[in-house]
Amino acid sequence: MYNFEFTKPTSIADAVAALADEDAQALGGGQTLIPTMKQRLAMPGTLVSLTGIAEMKGVCRDGDSLAIGGATTHATVAAEAGDYPGLAAMAAHIGDPAVRNRGTIGGSLANNDPSACYPCAALASGATIVTNTREIAADDYFQGLFTTALEEGEIIINVKFPIPEKSNYQKFVQPASRFALVGVMVAKYADGVRVAVTGASEEGVFRWTAAEEALSANFSADAIAGLSVDADGMIGDLHGTPEYRAHLIGVMTKRAVAAAA
Amino acid sequence: MTSISMTVNGKPASGEVEGRTLLVQFLREDLRLTGTHVGCDTSQCGACVVHVNGEAVKACTMFAADADGADVRTIEGMANADGSLGTIQQAFQDHHGLQCGFCTPGMVMSAAALLKDNPKPTEAEIREYLEGNICRCTGYHNIIKAIQAASGQLTAVAAE
C-alpha cells in the first residue's frame, strides 16, 4: 500500500477542513477502502478518519424516522435500530461480526458498491442523506456504480430513515464475498410500497417500480407472481448470468413480502 | 511517522508508525506479539481477529493509528494470570478444536467476543458468528464443540 498521512479529527468542522485538500479522502471503517488501498487501486495523500467524531455516531428516534449517524457501525445499527426491525436485521447480516464492528453506514453509502446492502435499504426507505452542506433524497443520491451525488470533500453526517409499517430485506449471498448476489428490500408505507434491488443491475441499486405498484395495490407475494424483470442491463459474471439474477429478483421480492413484519 | 499509544493486554504500548501501518503489523512487528496471525490479508479469514475496545475486529483491516488510545486485547492476553490456558483456550485443547493451529488465535478471539455478548449460544449461533473465521483443517465441528464446552453447555461430551 502507498503511504499517506493519517488524521483523525474529533469534529465535523475539522474533518471538512482536512478534506479540503484535493489529495485527502474520508475513511469510515475501512472495510472496503483498506483492501482497495492494499491493491493500490487508491492512493490518497491524506486519510481523514471519521470514526472519532462523536456527533456522527449513534441511532436516534426522531418522530416517524430513525436518524443514524454517518460513522455508526453496522453492529450498532443491528443492536440499536429496533424501531425499524427490517433495517436492524439487514445490518445484522452485512459481512461478518468483525466487519460489522468496523464498517459504517456512511462508508457504505458513500462507496455505493453495486452489491452492498445499505444502498438498497436507503433507497427502499426513501431515506434522506444528510451531509455537511445539504440534504439529498435517496432517489437523487444513487447515480450508478460507485457513483453518488456527493461532491468532493462532502461527508455523510447522518441518514434519516422513515420507519415503514412493514419491511424485510432478503439477500441471496455470494458465498465467497458475502456480498449480495441479489438483495431485495421491501418497505410498506401508508402512501405505498417501495422495492429496491441491489447486486443485480449494471447501474447499481434501483427501484423495481412495477412490483411497487402491484404491492401497493395488494401487499402479498401473489400480487407479483406474474411480474418479471428484463435481463437486459443485469450483471452477468461467473457467479450468475443476467437471466439468473433477473429471476432471483422476483424470488427474493416474494420472500421479502412474505417475511415482512 | 505518527506517535501512537494504546493499552495492549492491560499494559501500555507505544510506538512510531506510518499512516499505512496496519494494526496487525504494529502488534506483530513492533510489539513482537506474533500470536495474532495474518492469513489472507484481505479480511476474509479472521486469523488476525483481536479485540479493540472490547469488540472483535480484523487487525489486518484497521490502521494502527486508528487504534491510538484504544484498549487492545490479543491472544497473548487470553491466558490466566498464572500462565495456564484460559477457559476457551483449554476447551479448544480438550475438544481438539485445532489441528495446524494457524486460525486458532482468531477463532479464540471471536469465540470470546461471542460469549461476552451471548454466554449460551446455540450451535447455529456459533456457526453464524464464525462466518468470518476460516479453518482449513478441522471442518469446524470440534471448534463448535470447544465453544459449546467453554460456554458450559457440553458436559456430556466433555465426559467422553
Side-chain angles (χ1 to χ4, degrees), chain A residues 153-236:
Chain A
E154 189 174 8
I155 57 176
I156 298 173
I157 305 301
N158 153 341
V159 187
K160 291 183 195 161
F161 289 87
I163 298 171
E165 294 168 3
K166 287 182 172 184
S167 66
N168 188 259
Y169 177 65
Q170 291 285 324
K171 173 163 64 167
F172 192 92
V173 176
Q174 199 274 85
S177 71
R178 303 185 192 88
F179 273 89
L181 192 66
V182 169
V184 176
M185 181 98 167
V186 172
K188 181 178 187 292
Y189 291 90
D191 60 353
V193 176
R194 290 174 68 104
V195 177
V197 180
T198 190
S201 169
E202 290 176 340
E203 298 298 315
V205 66
F206 71 97
R207 284 172 66 187
W208 186 15
T209 49
E212 291 182 349
E213 285 165 21
L215 290 168
S216 294
N218 173 18
F219 192 73
S220 79
D222 293 340
I224 51 170
L227 298 180
S228 61
V229 177
D230 192 339
D232 269 1
M234 294 295 130
I235 298 169

Coordinates of all heavy atoms in Angstrom, one line a residue, chain A residues 153-236:
Chain A
G153 N -15.1 16.1 -1.0 CA -15.0 16.6 0.3 C -16.3 16.7 1.1 O -16.3 17.1 2.3
E154 N -17.4 16.2 0.5 CA -18.7 16.3 1.2 C -18.8 15.0 2.0 O -18.5 13.9 1.5 CB -19.8 16.4 0.2 CG -21.2 16.6 0.7 CD -22.2 16.9 -0.4 OE1 -21.9 16.7 -1.6 OE2 -23.4 17.2 0.0
I155 N -19.2 15.0 3.2 CA -19.3 13.8 4.1 C -20.8 13.6 4.6 O -21.5 14.6 4.7 CB -18.3 13.8 5.2 CG1 -18.5 15.1 6.1 CG2 -16.9 13.7 4.7 CD1 -17.6 15.1 7.4
I156 N -21.1 12.4 4.8 CA -22.4 12.0 5.3 C -22.4 12.1 6.8 O -21.7 11.4 7.5 CB -22.8 10.6 4.8 CG1 -22.8 10.5 3.3 CG2 -24.1 10.1 5.4 CD1 -23.0 9.1 2.7
I157 N -23.2 13.1 7.3 CA -23.3 13.3 8.7 C -24.3 12.3 9.3 O -24.1 11.8 10.4 CB -23.8 14.7 9.0 CG1 -22.9 15.8 8.3 CG2 -23.8 15.0 10.5 CD1 -21.4 15.7 8.7
N158 N -25.4 12.1 8.6 CA -26.4 11.3 9.2 C -27.4 10.9 8.1 O -27.4 11.5 7.0 CB -26.9 12.3 10.2 CG -28.3 12.3 10.7 OD1 -29.2 11.8 10.2 ND2 -28.3 13.0 11.9
V159 N -28.1 9.8 8.4 CA -29.1 9.3 7.4 C -30.4 9.2 8.1 O -30.5 8.5 9.2 CB -28.6 8.0 6.8 CG1 -29.6 7.6 5.7 CG2 -27.2 8.1 6.3
K160 N -31.5 9.8 7.5 CA -32.8 9.7 8.1 C -33.7 8.6 7.4 O -33.9 8.8 6.2 CB -33.5 11.0 8.1 CG -32.9 12.1 8.9 CD -33.7 13.4 8.8 CE -32.9 14.6 9.4 NZ -33.5 15.8 8.9
F161 N -34.1 7.6 8.1 CA -34.9 6.6 7.5 C -36.3 6.7 8.0 O -36.6 6.5 9.2 CB -34.4 5.2 8.0 CG -33.1 4.8 7.4 CD1 -31.9 5.1 8.0 CD2 -33.1 4.0 6.2 CE1 -30.7 4.7 7.4 CE2 -31.9 3.6 5.6 CZ -30.7 4.0 6.2
P162 N -37.3 7.0 7.2 CA -38.7 7.0 7.6 C -39.0 5.5 8.0 O -38.7 4.6 7.2 CB -39.5 7.4 6.3 CG -38.5 8.1 5.5 CD -37.2 7.5 5.8
I163 N -39.7 5.3 9.1 CA -40.0 4.0 9.6 C -41.2 3.4 8.9 O -42.3 4.0 9.0 CB -40.1 3.9 11.1 CG1 -38.8 4.4 11.8 CG2 -40.5 2.5 11.6 CD1 -39.0 4.7 13.3
P164 N -41.1 2.3 8.2 CA -42.3 1.7 7.5 C -43.2 0.9 8.4 O -42.8 0.6 9.5 CB -41.6 0.8 6.4 CG -40.3 0.4 7.0 CD -39.9 1.5 8.0
E165 N -44.4 0.7 7.9 CA -45.3 -0.2 8.6 C -44.8 -1.6 8.7 O -44.9 -2.3 9.7 CB -46.7 -0.2 8.0 CG -47.4 1.2 8.0 CD -48.6 1.2 7.1 OE1 -48.9 0.2 6.4 OE2 -49.2 2.3 7.0
K166 N -44.3 -2.1 7.6 CA -43.7 -3.4 7.5 C -42.5 -3.3 6.5 O -42.5 -2.5 5.6 CB -44.7 -4.4 6.8 CG -45.8 -4.8 7.7 CD -46.7 -5.8 6.9 CE -47.7 -6.4 7.8 NZ -48.5 -7.5 7.1
S167 N -41.5 -4.2 6.8 CA -40.4 -4.2 5.9 C -39.6 -5.5 6.0 O -39.8 -6.3 7.0 CB -39.4 -3.1 6.2 OG -38.8 -3.3 7.5
N168 N -38.8 -5.8 5.0 CA -37.9 -7.0 5.1 C -36.9 -6.9 4.0 O -37.2 -6.4 2.9 CB -38.7 -8.3 4.9 CG -37.9 -9.5 5.2 OD1 -37.4 -10.2 4.3 ND2 -37.7 -9.8 6.5
Y169 N -35.7 -7.4 4.3 CA -34.6 -7.4 3.4 C -34.2 -8.9 3.2 O -34.0 -9.6 4.2 CB -33.4 -6.7 3.9 CG -32.2 -6.7 3.0 CD1 -32.2 -6.1 1.7 CD2 -31.0 -7.3 3.4 CE1 -31.1 -6.2 0.9 CE2 -29.9 -7.3 2.6 CZ -29.9 -6.7 1.3 OH -28.8 -6.8 0.5
Q170 N -34.2 -9.3 1.9 CA -33.8 -10.7 1.6 C -32.5 -10.6 0.8 O -32.5 -10.0 -0.3 CB -34.9 -11.4 0.9 CG -36.1 -11.7 1.7 CD -35.9 -12.9 2.7 OE1 -35.2 -13.8 2.4 NE2 -36.4 -12.8 3.9
K171 N -31.5 -11.4 1.2 CA -30.2 -11.3 0.5 C -29.9 -12.7 0.0 O -29.8 -13.7 0.9 CB -29.1 -10.8 1.4 CG -27.7 -10.9 0.9 CD -26.7 -10.0 1.6 CE -26.5 -10.3 3.0 NZ -25.3 -9.6 3.6
F172 N -29.6 -12.9 -1.2 CA -29.0 -14.2 -1.7 C -27.5 -14.0 -1.8 O -27.0 -13.2 -2.6 CB -29.6 -14.5 -3.1 CG -29.3 -15.9 -3.6 CD1 -30.3 -16.9 -3.3 CD2 -28.2 -16.2 -4.2 CE1 -30.0 -18.2 -3.7 CE2 -27.9 -17.5 -4.6 CZ -28.8 -18.5 -4.4
V173 N -26.8 -14.6 -0.9 CA -25.4 -14.3 -0.6 C -24.5 -15.0 -1.7 O -24.7 -16.2 -1.9 CB -25.0 -14.7 0.8 CG1 -23.6 -14.5 1.0 CG2 -25.8 -14.0 1.8
Q174 N -23.6 -14.2 -2.2 CA -22.5 -14.8 -2.9 C -21.5 -15.3 -1.9 O -21.0 -14.5 -1.1 CB -21.9 -13.7 -3.8 CG -21.0 -14.2 -5.0 CD -19.6 -14.5 -4.5 OE1 -19.3 -15.5 -4.0 NE2 -18.7 -13.5 -4.7
P175 N -21.3 -16.7 -1.8 CA -20.7 -17.2 -0.6 C -19.3 -16.8 -0.3 O -18.8 -16.8 0.8 CB -20.9 -18.7 -0.7 CG -21.2 -18.9 -2.2 CD -21.8 -17.7 -2.7
A176 N -18.5 -16.5 -1.3 CA -17.1 -16.1 -1.1 C -17.0 -14.7 -0.5 O -16.3 -14.5 0.4 CB -16.3 -16.3 -2.4
S177 N -17.7 -13.8 -1.2 CA -17.5 -12.4 -0.7 C -18.5 -12.0 0.3 O -18.3 -11.0 1.0 CB -17.8 -11.4 -1.9 OG -19.1 -11.4 -2.3
R178 N -19.6 -12.7 0.5 CA -20.7 -12.4 1.4 C -21.5 -11.2 1.0 O -22.3 -10.7 1.7 CB -20.3 -12.3 2.8 CG -19.6 -13.6 3.3 CD -19.3 -13.5 4.8 NE -18.4 -14.5 5.2 CZ -17.1 -14.5 5.2 NH1 -16.5 -13.3 4.8 NH2 -16.3 -15.5 5.6
F179 N -21.2 -10.6 -0.2 CA -22.0 -9.6 -0.7 C -23.2 -10.2 -1.3 O -23.3 -11.4 -1.5 CB -21.2 -8.8 -1.8 CG -20.4 -7.7 -1.3 CD1 -19.1 -7.9 -0.9 CD2 -20.9 -6.4 -1.2 CE1 -18.3 -6.8 -0.4 CE2 -20.1 -5.3 -0.7 CZ -18.8 -5.6 -0.3
A180 N -24.2 -9.3 -1.6 CA -25.5 -9.8 -2.2 C -25.3 -10.2 -3.7 O -24.8 -9.3 -4.5 CB -26.5 -8.8 -2.1
L181 N -25.6 -11.4 -4.1 CA -25.7 -11.7 -5.5 C -26.9 -11.0 -6.0 O -26.9 -10.4 -7.1 CB -25.8 -13.2 -5.7 CG -25.6 -13.7 -7.1 CD1 -24.2 -13.5 -7.6 CD2 -25.9 -15.2 -7.2
V182 N -28.0 -11.1 -5.2 CA -29.1 -10.2 -5.4 C -29.7 -10.0 -4.0 O -29.8 -10.9 -3.2 CB -30.2 -10.9 -6.2 CG1 -31.5 -10.1 -6.2 CG2 -29.8 -11.0 -7.7
G183 N -30.0 -8.7 -3.7 CA -30.7 -8.4 -2.4 C -31.9 -7.5 -2.7 O -31.8 -6.7 -3.6
V184 N -33.0 -7.8 -2.0 CA -34.2 -7.0 -2.2 C -34.7 -6.5 -0.9 O -34.9 -7.3 0.1 CB -35.3 -7.8 -2.9 CG1 -36.6 -7.0 -3.1 CG2 -34.8 -8.3 -4.3
M185 N -35.0 -5.2 -0.8 CA -35.6 -4.7 0.4 C -37.0 -4.2 0.0 O -37.2 -3.5 -1.0 CB -34.8 -3.5 0.9 CG -35.4 -2.8 2.1 SD -34.6 -3.4 3.6 CE -35.2 -2.3 4.8
V186 N -38.0 -4.6 0.8 CA -39.4 -4.2 0.6 C -39.8 -3.4 1.8 O -39.6 -3.8 2.9 CB -40.3 -5.4 0.4 CG1 -41.8 -5.0 0.4 CG2 -40.0 -6.2 -0.9
A187 N -40.4 -2.2 1.6 CA -40.8 -1.4 2.7 C -42.2 -0.9 2.4 O -42.4 -0.2 1.4 CB -39.9 -0.2 3.0
K188 N -43.2 -1.2 3.3 CA -44.6 -0.8 3.1 C -44.9 0.5 4.0 O -44.8 0.4 5.2 CB -45.5 -1.9 3.5 CG -47.0 -1.6 3.4 CD -47.8 -2.9 3.8 CE -49.2 -2.7 3.5 NZ -49.9 -1.7 4.3
Y189 N -45.2 1.6 3.3 CA -45.6 2.8 4.0 C -47.1 3.1 3.8 O -47.7 2.5 2.9 CB -44.7 4.0 3.4 CG -43.3 3.9 3.8 CD1 -42.4 3.2 3.0 CD2 -42.8 4.4 5.0 CE1 -41.0 3.1 3.3 CE2 -41.5 4.3 5.3 CZ -40.6 3.7 4.5 OH -39.3 3.6 4.9
A190 N -47.6 4.0 4.5 CA -49.0 4.3 4.4 C -49.4 4.8 3.0 O -50.4 4.5 2.5 CB -49.4 5.4 5.4
D191 N -48.4 5.5 2.3 CA -48.7 6.0 1.0 C -48.2 5.1 -0.1 O -48.1 5.5 -1.3 CB -48.1 7.4 0.8 CG -46.6 7.5 1.1 OD1 -46.0 6.4 1.5 OD2 -46.0 8.5 0.8
G192 N -47.8 3.9 0.2 CA -47.3 3.0 -0.9 C -46.1 2.1 -0.5 O -45.6 2.3 0.6
V193 N -45.8 1.2 -1.4 CA -44.7 0.2 -1.1 C -43.5 0.6 -1.9 O -43.7 1.0 -3.1 CB -45.2 -1.2 -1.4 CG1 -44.1 -2.2 -1.3 CG2 -46.4 -1.6 -0.6
R194 N -42.4 0.5 -1.4 CA -41.1 0.7 -2.1 C -40.3 -0.6 -2.2 O -40.2 -1.3 -1.2 CB -40.3 1.9 -1.5 CG -40.9 3.2 -1.6 CD -40.2 4.3 -0.9 NE -38.9 4.6 -1.5 CZ -38.6 5.7 -2.2 NH1 -39.5 6.6 -2.5 NH2 -37.3 5.8 -2.6
V195 N -39.7 -0.9 -3.3 CA -38.9 -2.1 -3.5 C -37.6 -1.7 -4.1 O -37.6 -1.1 -5.2 CB -39.7 -3.1 -4.5 CG1 -38.8 -4.3 -4.7 CG2 -41.0 -3.5 -3.9
A196 N -36.5 -2.0 -3.5 CA -35.2 -1.7 -4.0 C -34.4 -3.0 -4.2 O -34.6 -3.9 -3.4 CB -34.5 -0.7 -3.1
V197 N -33.6 -2.9 -5.2 CA -32.8 -4.1 -5.6 C -31.3 -3.8 -5.6 O -30.9 -2.8 -6.3 CB -33.3 -4.7 -7.0 CG1 -32.5 -5.9 -7.3 CG2 -34.8 -4.9 -7.0
T198 N -30.5 -4.6 -5.0 CA -29.0 -4.5 -5.1 C -28.4 -5.7 -5.7 O -29.0 -6.8 -5.7 CB -28.4 -4.1 -3.7 OG1 -27.1 -3.7 -3.9 CG2 -28.5 -5.3 -2.8
G199 N -27.2 -5.6 -6.1 CA -26.4 -6.8 -6.6 C -26.7 -7.2 -8.0 O -26.0 -7.9 -8.6
A200 N -27.8 -6.7 -8.6 CA -28.3 -7.3 -9.9 C -27.9 -6.4 -11.1 O -27.5 -6.9 -12.1 CB -29.8 -7.5 -9.8
S201 N -28.1 -5.1 -10.9 CA -28.0 -4.2 -12.1 C -26.6 -3.7 -12.4 O -25.9 -3.3 -11.4 CB -29.0 -3.1 -12.0 OG -28.8 -2.1 -13.0
E202 N -26.3 -3.5 -13.6 CA -25.1 -2.9 -14.0 C -25.1 -1.4 -13.7 O -24.0 -0.8 -13.7 CB -24.8 -3.1 -15.5 CG -24.5 -4.5 -15.9 CD -24.4 -4.7 -17.4 OE1 -24.9 -3.9 -18.2 OE2 -23.8 -5.7 -17.8
E203 N -26.2 -0.9 -13.4 CA -26.3 0.5 -13.0 C -26.4 0.7 -11.4 O -26.6 1.8 -10.9 CB -27.6 1.2 -13.6 CG -27.6 1.2 -15.1 CD -26.5 2.0 -15.7 OE1 -26.3 3.1 -15.2 OE2 -25.8 1.5 -16.6
G204 N -26.2 -0.4 -10.7 CA -26.2 -0.3 -9.2 C -27.6 -0.5 -8.7 O -28.6 -0.9 -9.4
V205 N -27.8 0.0 -7.5 CA -29.1 -0.2 -6.8 C -30.2 0.5 -7.6 O -30.0 1.6 -8.2 CB -29.0 0.3 -5.4 CG1 -28.8 1.8 -5.3 CG2 -30.2 -0.1 -4.5
F206 N -31.4 -0.1 -7.7 CA -32.5 0.5 -8.4 C -33.9 0.1 -7.8 O -33.9 -0.8 -7.0 CB -32.5 0.1 -9.9 CG -32.9 -1.3 -10.1 CD1 -34.2 -1.7 -10.5 CD2 -31.9 -2.3 -10.0 CE1 -34.5 -3.0 -10.7 CE2 -32.2 -3.7 -10.2 CZ -33.5 -4.0 -10.6
R207 N -34.9 0.9 -8.1 CA -36.3 0.5 -7.6 C -37.0 -0.3 -8.7 O -37.0 0.1 -9.9 CB -37.0 1.8 -7.3 CG -36.6 2.5 -6.0 CD -37.2 3.8 -5.8 NE -38.7 3.8 -5.7 CZ -39.5 4.8 -5.6 NH1 -38.9 6.0 -5.7 NH2 -40.8 4.7 -5.5
W208 N -37.7 -1.3 -8.2 CA -38.5 -2.1 -9.2 C -39.9 -1.6 -9.1 O -40.7 -2.0 -8.2 CB -38.4 -3.6 -8.7 CG -39.1 -4.5 -9.7 CD1 -39.5 -4.2 -11.0 CD2 -39.5 -5.9 -9.4 NE1 -40.1 -5.3 -11.5 CE2 -40.1 -6.4 -10.6 CE3 -39.4 -6.7 -8.3 CZ2 -40.6 -7.7 -10.7 CZ3 -39.9 -8.0 -8.4 CH2 -40.5 -8.5 -9.6
T209 N -40.2 -0.6 -10.0 CA -41.4 0.2 -9.8 C -42.7 -0.7 -10.2 O -43.7 -0.5 -9.6 CB -41.4 1.4 -10.8 OG1 -41.0 1.0 -12.1 CG2 -40.4 2.4 -10.2
A210 N -42.5 -1.7 -11.1 CA -43.7 -2.5 -11.4 C -44.2 -3.3 -10.2 O -45.4 -3.4 -9.9 CB -43.4 -3.4 -12.6
A211 N -43.2 -3.8 -9.4 CA -43.5 -4.5 -8.2 C -44.1 -3.6 -7.2 O -45.0 -3.9 -6.4 CB -42.3 -5.2 -7.7
E212 N -43.6 -2.3 -7.1 CA -44.1 -1.4 -6.1 C -45.6 -1.1 -6.4 O -46.4 -1.1 -5.4 CB -43.3 0.0 -6.2 CG -41.9 -0.2 -5.8 CD -41.1 1.2 -5.8 OE1 -41.6 2.1 -6.4 OE2 -40.0 1.2 -5.3
E213 N -45.9 -0.9 -7.7 CA -47.4 -0.6 -8.0 C -48.2 -1.8 -7.6 O -49.3 -1.7 -7.0 CB -47.5 -0.3 -9.5 CG -47.0 1.0 -9.8 CD -46.8 1.2 -11.4 OE1 -47.4 0.4 -12.1 OE2 -46.0 2.1 -11.7
A214 N -47.8 -3.0 -8.0 CA -48.6 -4.2 -7.7 C -48.7 -4.4 -6.2 O -49.8 -4.7 -5.7 CB -48.0 -5.4 -8.3
L215 N -47.6 -4.2 -5.4 CA -47.7 -4.4 -4.0 C -48.4 -3.3 -3.3 O -49.0 -3.6 -2.2 CB -46.3 -4.6 -3.4 CG -45.5 -5.8 -3.9 CD1 -44.0 -5.8 -3.5 CD2 -46.1 -7.1 -3.2
S216 N -48.4 -2.1 -3.8 CA -49.2 -1.0 -3.2 C -50.7 -1.3 -3.3 O -51.4 -1.0 -2.4 CB -48.9 0.3 -3.9 OG -47.5 0.7 -3.7
A217 N -51.1 -2.0 -4.4 CA -52.5 -2.4 -4.5 C -52.9 -3.6 -3.7 O -54.0 -3.7 -3.1 CB -52.8 -2.6 -6.0
N218 N -51.9 -4.5 -3.5 CA -52.2 -5.8 -2.8 C -50.9 -6.3 -2.3 O -50.0 -6.9 -3.0 CB -52.8 -6.8 -3.8 CG -52.9 -8.2 -3.2 OD1 -52.9 -8.3 -2.0 ND2 -53.1 -9.2 -4.0
F219 N -50.7 -6.1 -1.0 CA -49.4 -6.4 -0.4 C -49.3 -7.9 -0.1 O -49.5 -8.4 1.1 CB -49.1 -5.6 0.9 CG -47.7 -5.7 1.4 CD1 -46.7 -5.1 0.7 CD2 -47.4 -6.5 2.5 CE1 -45.3 -5.2 1.1 CE2 -46.0 -6.6 2.9 CZ -45.0 -5.9 2.3
S220 N -49.1 -8.7 -1.1 CA -49.0 -10.2 -0.9 C -48.0 -10.7 -2.0 O -47.9 -10.1 -3.1 CB -50.3 -10.9 -1.0 OG -50.7 -11.0 -2.3
A221 N -47.4 -11.8 -1.7 CA -46.4 -12.4 -2.7 C -47.1 -12.7 -4.0 O -46.6 -12.6 -5.1 CB -45.7 -13.6 -2.1
D222 N -48.4 -13.1 -3.9 CA -49.2 -13.4 -5.1 C -49.3 -12.2 -6.1 O -49.4 -12.4 -7.3 CB -50.6 -13.9 -4.8 CG -50.6 -15.2 -4.0 OD1 -49.6 -15.9 -4.1 OD2 -51.6 -15.5 -3.3
A223 N -49.3 -11.0 -5.5 CA -49.5 -9.8 -6.3 C -48.4 -9.6 -7.4 O -48.6 -9.0 -8.4 CB -49.6 -8.6 -5.4
I224 N -47.2 -10.2 -7.2 CA -46.2 -10.0 -8.1 C -45.8 -11.3 -8.9 O -44.8 -11.4 -9.6 CB -44.9 -9.5 -7.5 CG1 -44.5 -10.3 -6.2 CG2 -45.1 -8.0 -7.1 CD1 -43.1 -10.0 -5.7
A225 N -46.7 -12.3 -8.7 CA -46.5 -13.6 -9.3 C -46.3 -13.5 -10.9 O -45.5 -14.2 -11.5 CB -47.6 -14.6 -9.0
G226 N -47.1 -12.6 -11.5 CA -47.0 -12.5 -12.9 C -45.9 -11.6 -13.5 O -45.8 -11.4 -14.7
L227 N -45.2 -10.9 -12.5 CA -44.2 -9.9 -13.0 C -42.8 -10.5 -13.2 O -42.5 -11.5 -12.5 CB -44.1 -8.8 -11.9 CG -45.3 -8.0 -11.6 CD1 -45.0 -6.9 -10.6 CD2 -45.8 -7.3 -12.9
S228 N -42.1 -10.0 -14.1 CA -40.7 -10.5 -14.3 C -39.8 -9.2 -14.6 O -40.3 -8.2 -15.1 CB -40.6 -11.5 -15.4 OG -41.0 -11.0 -16.6
V229 N -38.5 -9.4 -14.4 CA -37.6 -8.3 -14.6 C -36.8 -8.6 -15.9 O -36.4 -9.8 -16.1 CB -36.6 -8.2 -13.5 CG1 -35.6 -7.1 -13.7 CG2 -37.4 -7.9 -12.2
D230 N -36.7 -7.7 -16.8 CA -35.9 -7.9 -18.0 C -34.4 -8.1 -17.7 O -33.8 -7.4 -16.9 CB -36.1 -6.6 -18.9 CG -35.6 -6.8 -20.3 OD1 -34.8 -7.8 -20.5 OD2 -36.0 -6.1 -21.2
A231 N -33.8 -9.1 -18.3 CA -32.4 -9.4 -18.0 C -31.5 -8.4 -18.6 O -30.3 -8.4 -18.3 CB -32.1 -10.9 -18.5
D232 N -32.0 -7.6 -19.6 CA -31.1 -6.6 -20.2 C -30.6 -5.6 -19.1 O -31.4 -5.1 -18.3 CB -31.9 -5.8 -21.2 CG -31.8 -6.4 -22.6 OD1 -31.1 -7.4 -22.7 OD2 -32.4 -5.8 -23.5
G233 N -29.3 -5.4 -19.0 CA -28.7 -4.5 -18.0 C -28.4 -5.1 -16.7 O -27.9 -4.5 -15.8
M234 N -28.8 -6.4 -16.6 CA -28.4 -7.1 -15.3 C -26.9 -7.6 -15.4 O -26.4 -7.8 -16.5 CB -29.3 -8.3 -15.1 CG -30.7 -8.0 -14.9 SD -31.0 -7.1 -13.3 CE -32.0 -5.8 -13.9
I235 N -26.3 -7.7 -14.3 CA -24.9 -8.2 -14.2 C -24.8 -9.6 -14.6 O -25.6 -10.5 -14.1 CB -24.3 -8.0 -12.8 CG1 -24.3 -6.5 -12.4 CG2 -22.9 -8.5 -12.7 CD1 -24.0 -6.2 -10.9
G236 N -23.8 -10.0 -15.4 CA -23.5 -11.4 -15.7 C -22.1 -11.6 -15.4 O -21.2 -10.9 -15.9

